[in-house]
Amino acid sequence: MYYIPNFMRKSVEFLCSDGMYLKTKGLFRVCPSMVKLSALRQVINYGDEDYVMSNYHPNTVAGIMKMFLRELPEPLVIF
């Protein structure tokens, strides 16, 4: 059984909740603001469960997902 972190679930729900977010130009390609990305990461790392993903730009939410996947000790997909 695998554990999916709560912030990943919230991120996917946020991006899928409104069809417009998935149509955001360069959603997983455009780099978000590092200041905003660091702020969201800090909120997640300190375990504040009251944060709302809709307070963040879709590129920031996609960026935090990419950051998490990049920092996994073992890759999900091996090429």
Side-chain angles (χ1 to χ4, degrees):
M1 181 170 204
Y2 296 100
Y3 170 73
I4 299 174
N6 192 37
F7 85 90
M8 286 292 278
R9 184 185 52 76
K10 281 185 170 185
S11 298
V12 171
E13 286 175 358
F14 167 70
L15 293 175
C16 293
S17 66
D18 184 0
M20 296 299 293
Y21 296 137
L22 292 177
K23 294 178 183 176
T24 301
K25 186 176 181 179
L27 181 62
F28 288 97
R29 185 177 43 85
V30 175
C31 295
S33 162
M34 289 308 293
V35 173
K36 293 179 182 178
L37 189 63
S38 295
L40 178 55
R41 183 178 184 169
Q42 187 173 16
V43 168
I44 291 168
N45 284 343
Y46 286 114
D48 181 6
E49 294 296 322
D50 294 332
Y51 63 91
V52 179
M53 286 297 184
S54 61
N55 292 341
Y56 299 94
H57 190 276
N59 285 341
T60 304
V61 175
I64 201 74
M65 292 173 67
K66 290 190 314 185
M67 182 182 288
F68 173 77
L69 293 172
R70 263 190 238 115
E71 293 177 355
L72 286 173
E74 295 182 30
L76 291 179
V77 179
I78 299 172
F79 295 98

